[in-house]
Amino acid sequence: MLRTTARFLKLTPPIELLSLYHALVTLVITAIAFAVFFIFPSPNNYWLMLASILLSQVGLRNEQDSLKFWPVFYYLLSGFISAALVFLLTLTADSFWLSTVVLLITTFITSYKGWLNRKFFLAGCVINFLSIIAAFAPADFTVAAQRFYLIMLASCLVFSVRLLFFLYQRHYQFYYAKINFLQKMKQLYGLIFYNPSQPASLFTRDIDESHFQSTWSDCLSLLQTLKKKAPPAWMHQMERIWDITLSLASLRYRLTDASVLSIVQEEWKQLLTSITDLFNQLMKATKSINLQPLNIAIQRLEELNQGILQTMTKEPLVLLLFIQDLHALKEQLKNISPPFSRKGEA
Amino acid sequence: MQTTHHLNYPLKRAIRGTSAILFALILNHYFFPADFWMVVTTALLTQSELGTPIKQTWQRFLWIIMLFLATSQTLILFPSPWCAPALIILATAVSAYAYASVSRRYLSLHFPLLALMIMLLVLFIPAVSVNTTYLLEIVSGTAITIFCTLFIFPDRPDKEFSTRVLSLLPDLSAYLSALVALLLKKENARQLADTKRAAVEKVWANKDDYFPVWVFVSGYNPALRAGQYYFVIHIGQITEILFAMHHLALHSFQEPLLLEQLSLPLRASVTHTQELMANLVLLLEEKPPIPLTMDFLEDLTTLEETFRSTVNVSVELLDISQDYVYLAAFIRYLKDLRLQLLALNSTLR
């Protein structure tokens, strides 16, 4: 059983299961808290359960933090603050005005800090929540101290489990960020080469611009995550590919004449297919990536451009620059750092 | 990038939240002294995001009611001692999975956590049954939240929109200057361009914190939405243009003389573009704009003519030299940038 678990944990799970890892971590914390709950029964043990389950959720803000070590300490800090406030409010709960003042100060500070820096938002919510529950459960010093220790125990439990999983998982975080980034880039290209079978709709702005913007800002966020761990040379190339991608996307507002693209439907589809395929190869980290299909697609588009499109379109420069961007993309992919090597270039 | 412009909004939200809790505590003390549901509901509902606070309050209110009823009914129907632990495990697992899966989606971040909180309360706080008193408390908490949202420092999404966009525009202007310096191969241009780029990237990579993302949420004020949506999209396109220009500016030109000949008209164009950006800032600050002393595209026409006369090839033959193509692309991007800024300026005037 242990060997199977170790083997399972050593596997690199598919990117779609990353969320399950978070669920798994939370379940482990819940299970341990439950074990304590049953082994050491006490009327106040529900504080351990409440605190451990809620505190386990406060750290996951965005992927950029997932590669850093120090957010793991959020759990301890949040737990300590919660414990102190619960202790204080348990003792003052009998006095309405005193407990009200403490609660109001807590609410103000947690709300202010949470809105000032969104990283602290959820921690603030949980601290506030636990404080309110304590303010309605008056008790004596012994019980207050018990609650304090239980919440501290909960935060130590959450911290320990999170730390173990962090140390194990950070090896894969970079891998996940990379795969995520490449998947998002594929989506972005899907939007750039949108709906090739109906080129007219491409320029009636059926593209949801907000979706496009949201996709590229997600890519940027993932690039920021990758910057922390990626080799500088690889990072530089990814940034250039990213820049070229946005340059290719400029066609959507530059090319005003939709009928031009009706001539290049097949080439458009080929371009999208070949670029998507290249990103798939990058995701699989294959030893060599095949640039031949992209090369052929670009050449065909170039021939059509020189033969027909330049004479048809009002702004021949736009298509010329688009094709040059495709060449630049091909060059960047050709020169991409190891372990990706290249073959199939002209 | 500074966040000092955001100080007022967090303070307003903190005051609003604290006031709501104060009202809830006082009402709770006189009408429902033994229970906490009014205060808990108020605390959970006051944390709505900018843009659609009432809609979010209603949505969360419905969630709380449904979860409360579902959990308490389940405990009544299945009084087995294993029911509560099973519910906890299920709730925890589903919430954790949902939270991690949708954590980037605007507004849905809090629902799993909210669900977990309500279920845990019902499961752990003993003797909860479907009681109209509890439901009345939840409704009262919602009413307090809506009252405070509407009357205590109500959200001003138009002001907040201007504040957030205003913080980005100077970064974009500085980035443009750095890119031109990089193109002209000035000393330390590369580090400067990277620094300015990082400032712009930081905003877009953390959109939820620095950008008016509520513009895209359905249910947002339709009177404000159209104009702000248009603005945000064009700011995004301006950013795309600048990122695309970075790649071009890094190119090693084989003919540095070409750059020297274009240097003056290029700088003039960039100066005029930055004037437009400065005007945009003034318009967003609701100050009178500086009267523009130039024709909107004249300097770019001059730049294009200088380029054509220097290069002396037709468009079809432009790709005989990489330098020509990259410069043509850079100039074209300057033109795109200018058109975007003109569109935004005319919208605001």
Side-chain angles (χ1 to χ4, degrees):
Chain A
M1 175 74 179
L2 276 174
R3 216 175 277 174
T4 314
T5 313
R7 237 182 280 141
F8 168 73
L9 290 175
K10 277 193 189 325
L11 288 173
T12 309
I15 189 89
E16 297 81 12
L17 295 184
L18 188 59
S19 309
L20 274 181
Y21 257 84
H22 175 63
L24 180 69
V25 170
T26 314
L27 272 178
V28 167
I29 293 168
T30 310
I32 297 172
F34 249 123
V36 173
F37 187 78
F38 281 115
I39 294 168
F40 304 102
S42 153
N44 287 297
N45 265 2
Y46 65 91
W47 285 99
L48 176 70
M49 291 299 304
L50 266 177
S52 54
I53 293 173
L54 293 177
L55 284 173
S56 66
Q57 305 302 310
V58 302
L60 194 73
R61 179 65 179 97
N62 55 43
E63 289 189 19
Q64 290 171 44
D65 285 343
S66 62
L67 289 174
K68 293 182 199 166
F69 177 69
W70 54 264
V72 181
F73 286 93
Y74 275 155
Y75 305 107
L76 264 183
L77 185 62
S78 310
F80 175 72
I81 295 171
S82 304
L85 284 167
V86 164
F87 175 79
L88 183 63
L89 282 160
T90 305
L91 293 176
T92 58
D94 277 329
S95 162
F96 168 68
W97 291 111
L98 196 54
S99 61
T100 300
V101 166
V102 176
L103 261 181
L104 291 178
I105 294 171
T106 308
T107 305
F108 184 85
I109 293 172
T110 52
S111 191
Y112 181 72
K113 288 299 283 180
W115 284 103
L116 194 62
N117 189 337
R118 300 306 298 270
K119 281 183 187 168
F120 306 128
F121 187 80
L122 285 179
C125 283
V126 170
I127 290 168
N128 208 19
F129 181 80
L130 292 172
S131 306
I132 290 171
I133 306 302
F136 285 89
D140 59 17
F141 184 86
T142 316
V143 172
Q146 230 178 21
R147 290 176 185 174
F148 178 87
Y149 292 132
L150 285 168
I151 295 175
M152 282 309 299
L153 181 64
S155 64
C156 290
L157 166 65
V158 170
F159 171 74
S160 312
V161 175
R162 280 282 176 198
L163 182 62
L164 281 172
F165 270 83
F166 172 80
L167 292 172
Y168 160 73
Q169 208 183 7
R170 70 175 173 170
H171 174 66
Y172 297 112
Q173 290 291 352
F174 174 68
Y175 165 77
Y176 287 136
K178 201 167 64 172
I179 298 298
N180 236 342
F181 171 70
L182 293 169
Q183 277 181 342
K184 281 284 175 187
M185 288 295 278
K186 267 174 53 180
Q187 279 180 30
L188 204 55
Y189 275 96
L191 292 173
I192 292 168
F193 291 91
Y194 175 66
N195 216 352
S197 58
Q198 295 172 23
S201 67
L202 184 70
F203 295 102
T204 56
R205 298 297 179 261
D206 270 5
I207 297 170
D208 182 350
E209 283 287 340
S210 64
H211 178 46
F212 185 80
Q213 196 179 93
S214 154
T215 307
W216 73 247
S217 65
D218 284 347
C219 281
L220 197 55
S221 182
L222 289 161
L223 259 183
Q224 296 291 294
T225 309
L226 288 169
K227 252 185 197 168
K228 318 244 184 280
K229 280 251 175 185
W234 187 87
M235 202 58 229
H236 179 78
Q237 284 163 342
M238 283 298 121
E239 280 184 335
R240 297 293 73 78
I241 289 173
W242 161 251
D243 292 343
I244 294 165
T245 306
L246 290 182
S247 187
L248 286 166
S250 66
L251 190 71
R252 75 191 191 281
Y253 52 78
R254 280 179 175 176
L255 195 67
T256 51
D257 185 8
S259 60
V260 163
L261 287 184
S262 61
I263 299 167
V264 296
Q265 280 188 45
E266 279 308 311
E267 287 71 24
W268 213 246
K269 275 186 215 173
Q270 271 184 7
L271 276 169
L272 177 58
T273 309
S274 58
I275 292 173
T276 307
D277 190 51
L278 280 166
F279 279 109
N280 285 336
Q281 290 178 54
L282 285 174
M283 277 195 277
K284 284 179 193 159
T286 46
K287 285 194 177 164
S288 60
I289 54 171
N290 186 7
L291 290 162
Q292 193 66 9
L294 178 62
N295 228 3
I296 294 170
I298 296 173
Q299 273 174 1
R300 287 182 61 171
L301 183 66
E302 219 166 0
E303 283 161 15
L304 272 171
N305 183 47
Q306 281 167 5
I308 309 169
L309 297 178
Q310 291 244 326
T311 50
M312 273 183 64
T313 187
K314 290 173 205 170
E315 291 208 61
L317 182 64
V318 167
L319 282 171
L320 178 73
L321 295 180
F322 182 78
I323 290 166
Q324 288 305 313
D325 283 335
L326 287 171
H327 280 296
L329 176 68
K330 192 190 72 180
E331 285 305 308
Q332 284 297 326
L333 290 169
K334 190 162 66 170
N335 298 323
I336 206 153
S337 301
F340 307 121
S341 62
R342 70 267 185 214
K343 73 172 185 186
E345 64 269 24
Chain B
M1 239 225 19
Q2 294 171 20
T3 57
T4 49
H5 59 275
H6 277 166
L7 272 177
N8 286 333
Y9 186 71
L11 195 59
K12 285 178 193 171
R13 289 303 301 254
I15 293 171
R16 190 201 302 170
T18 311
S19 308
I21 295 290
L22 176 63
F23 294 146
L25 283 167
I26 293 171
L27 285 172
N28 198 76
H29 179 67
Y30 288 109
F31 294 104
F32 311 103
D35 301 317
F36 51 66
W37 286 100
M38 187 193 293
V39 184
V40 164
T41 306
T42 308
L44 292 175
L45 295 186
T46 48
Q47 301 302 334
S48 55
E49 300 280 348
L50 195 67
T52 56
I54 303 297
K55 180 184 166 187
Q56 289 169 60
T57 304
W58 279 119
Q59 282 177 343
R60 291 175 191 189
F61 162 69
L62 289 173
W63 267 91
I64 292 172
I65 291 279
M66 278 185 336
L67 285 161
F68 178 87
L69 291 174
T71 314
S72 48
Q73 278 289 51
T74 307
L75 287 175
I76 293 167
L77 289 171
F78 303 100
S80 153
W82 291 106
C83 179
L87 268 178
I88 292 167
I89 289 170
L90 187 65
T92 308
V94 169
S95 302
Y97 179 71
Y99 176 28
S101 302
V102 301
S103 63
R104 288 160 156 277
R105 208 180 302 161
Y106 182 66
L107 286 184
S108 48
L109 181 65
H110 308 300
F111 284 161
L113 198 60
L114 186 140
L116 205 51
M117 284 174 171
I118 299 300
M119 290 186 76
L120 286 172
L121 275 182
V122 177
L123 289 166
F124 279 119
I125 311 303
V128 172
S129 59
V130 180
N131 186 328
T132 48
T133 311
Y134 297 126
L135 296 176
L136 190 60
E137 287 182 57
I138 292 171
V139 169
S140 307
T142 310
I144 291 168
T145 307
I146 292 176
F147 174 82
C148 292
T149 304
L150 290 175
F151 297 110
I152 299 179
F153 290 117
D155 284 341
R156 290 291 309 272
D158 52 336
K159 293 283 179 205
E160 205 46 37
F161 177 87
S162 300
T163 306
R164 293 194 187 199
V165 171
L166 275 169
S167 66
L168 178 59
L169 285 172
D171 290 335
L172 293 174
S173 181
Y175 187 29
L176 175 64
S177 296
L179 286 174
V180 172
L182 182 62
L183 180 81
L184 297 173
K185 310 305 172 203
K186 296 298 170 195
E187 225 176 284
N188 299 322
R190 192 155 181 164
Q191 290 97 306
L192 182 66
D194 287 342
T195 311
K196 299 301 175 190
R197 183 189 172 116
V200 174
E201 281 178 341
K202 186 179 173 181
V203 172
W204 287 98
N206 301 286
K207 255 173 63 174
D208 287 351
D209 297 345
Y210 294 111
F211 208 66
V213 290
W214 60 86
V215 171
F216 301 116
V217 176
S218 72
Y220 180 53
N221 185 338
L224 292 174
R225 189 194 165 123
Q228 289 181 358
Y229 181 91
Y230 178 86
F231 207 93
V232 161
I233 293 299
H234 281 266
I235 288 284
Q237 287 177 357
I238 287 171
T239 312
E240 287 174 42
I241 288 168
L242 291 174
F243 283 140
M245 286 164 81
H246 198 132
H247 156 69
L248 300 169
L250 282 170
H251 176 69
S252 301
F253 288 85
Q254 305 302 317
E255 299 177 45
L257 210 61
L258 187 61
L259 285 175
E260 269 186 48
Q261 286 172 328
L262 289 172
S263 169
L264 269 173
L266 205 60
R267 285 181 194 280
S269 282
V270 168
T271 307
H272 289 140
T273 304
Q274 288 178 318
E275 269 178 24
L276 269 176
M277 277 187 177
N279 255 346
L280 210 57
V281 169
L282 289 170
L283 286 166
L284 283 169
E285 288 173 342
E286 293 174 10
K287 291 179 186 164
I290 301 165
L292 297 169
T293 54
M294 46 101 187
D295 175 14
F296 294 131
L297 292 171
E298 188 186 328
D299 55 311
L300 281 170
T301 313
T302 309
L303 177 61
E304 281 173 335
E305 281 167 7
T306 311
F307 173 71
R308 267 187 239 116
S309 62
T310 311
V311 161
N312 206 21
V313 291
S314 63
V315 170
E316 294 83 12
L317 296 172
L318 207 60
D319 52 356
I320 57 170
S321 165
Q322 279 273 290
D323 289 0
Y324 298 167
V325 174
Y326 275 62
L327 272 174
F330 198 90
I331 292 168
R332 181 56 203 247
Y333 273 122
L334 279 176
K335 190 175 177 183
D336 289 342
L337 193 57
R338 182 68 61 82
L339 290 171
Q340 295 281 355
L341 286 167
L342 286 170
L344 290 177
N345 265 279
S346 61
T347 310
L348 286 177
R349 278 178 192 271

